Amino acid sequence: QVQLVESGGGLVQPGGSLRLSCAASGFTFSSYAMRWYRQAPGKERELVATITTGGNSYYAVSVQGRFTISRDNAKNTVYLQMNSLKPEDTAVYYCNAEIGFARWGQGTQVAVSS
């Protein structure tokens, strides 16, 4: 079955960096666009970044220039490199693939605080 497993979250100071990973299985990874979403406490889940099957990437305005999404089809893994982190980036980050319907991982917590 489809599985998405996120990792790499943690506590980081403002201005710091983290790299999130999402290991995918149960489907032909290279055939699907992959997305990262996040959900902060008391807020709706929001789309952060998308990478297409061809490697084109798209970002929310709030993270443009700071975050980079990438994929390694040989490893069935999508990444989110997050630089210049801000307290408002604090959220649970989720990996997503639309395979018939939305598939989600369990999420990984990112906390940005001094």
Side-chain angles (χ1 to χ4, degrees), residues 19-99:
R19 188 175 84 152
L20 307 183
S21 300
C22 172
S25 61
F27 64 102
T28 306
F29 179 78
S30 59
S31 297
Y32 291 88
M34 298 297 297
R35 297 173 180 85
W36 284 98
Y37 283 77
R38 67 185 181 187
Q39 188 166 18
K43 295 189 176 181
E44 293 187 357
R45 194 170 295 191
E46 65 171 344
L47 178 62
V48 174
T50 300
I51 187 164
T52 68
T53 56
N56 294 316
S57 54
Y58 305 91
Y59 300 93
V61 171
S62 58
V63 307
Q64 183 80 42
R66 300 188 298 122
F67 290 11
T68 302
I69 189 171
S70 61
R71 65 190 299 159
D72 185 336
N73 290 337
K75 295 183 178 180
N76 288 356
T77 301
V78 60
Y79 303 97
L80 187 67
Q81 178 67 44
M82 306 186 296
N83 298 329
S84 301
L85 283 161
K86 304 176 181 180
E88 51 263 43
D89 295 317
T90 295
V92 179
Y93 284 72
Y94 297 92
C95 181
N96 164 272
E98 299 290 332
I99 306 167

